[in-house]
Amino acid sequence: MFALTGSNWATALDSTRAMNLGLAAGALAAIPATVAAGMMLTPRFGSVMRWSALTCCASLIVEAAAQLLGAGHPTQWPLILVAATLMGFAVALPFGRLIPGGRSLRIGVTAMLGFAGSIIGLNLVAMAAFIAPIAAAALVVWSLIRLSGPGAKPSQPLVRL
């Protein structure tokens, strides 16, 4: 919201700074949805989803730091590229176990996929603020379907701590 409404807020004097602050807040706001998705996907896809969610969260934190520095800061673009690379690895990690061959081959191909995925990661970290509400709504619907499905117990908690 802040990124879209621009300089109408008292904390930002110009619309570019308002956009940077909104994108930083949006990246940080996407972290809970990322953690929830990682928790829900771990039973189905294995512990690699925890690593993928952790890498995605690190990417979002780096993106928020880059946006908080503001447009024109000399380290903003390098931080955005680091965030994009981390996001590329977050996307590539779950696919690593699907690669046939030995362990070193899987690690090498997953590393190449991670670096190649940074192109997609660049878009994902920039759009995190806009993707997070949709992802959170999908997680709520998925949770409700799982709770009402066969074998679900009425007293089953949504999240196990």
Side-chain angles (χ1 to χ4, degrees):
M1 179 73 174
F2 191 74
L4 298 176
T5 57
S7 59
N8 295 330
W9 294 71
T11 58
L13 299 177
D14 67 357
S15 58
T16 303
R17 183 68 183 146
M19 179 189 68
N20 286 135
L21 292 174
L23 289 173
L28 294 175
I31 291 174
T34 301
V35 171
M39 288 173 56
M40 290 187 70
L41 292 172
T42 296
R44 184 173 197 146
F45 296 105
S47 63
V48 71
M49 293 311 298
R50 289 184 184 137
W51 289 105
S52 185
L54 181 66
T55 307
C56 183
C57 289
S59 171
L60 294 171
I61 290 169
V62 172
E63 173 68 12
Q67 294 300 332
L68 286 174
L69 290 174
H73 195 278
T75 57
Q76 183 187 30
W77 184 243
L79 282 176
I80 290 173
L81 292 178
V82 169
T85 304
L86 286 169
M87 187 64 78
F89 276 95
V91 172
L93 279 175
F95 296 104
R97 66 186 178 128
L98 300 175
I99 298 166
R103 183 178 180 152
S104 59
L105 178 66
R106 284 195 308 267
I107 290 171
V109 172
T110 302
M112 287 189 292
L113 286 174
F115 284 117
S118 65
I119 295 169
I120 297 168
L122 186 60
N123 291 322
L124 289 176
V125 294
M127 296 184 300
F130 306 104
I131 296 171
I134 297 166
L139 285 171
V140 167
V141 170
W142 187 24
S143 297
L144 293 174
I145 290 171
R146 283 183 59 196
L147 287 176
S148 64
K153 298 175 185 170
S155 62
Q156 184 178 8
L158 283 175
V159 178
R160 291 185 183 173
L161 300 176

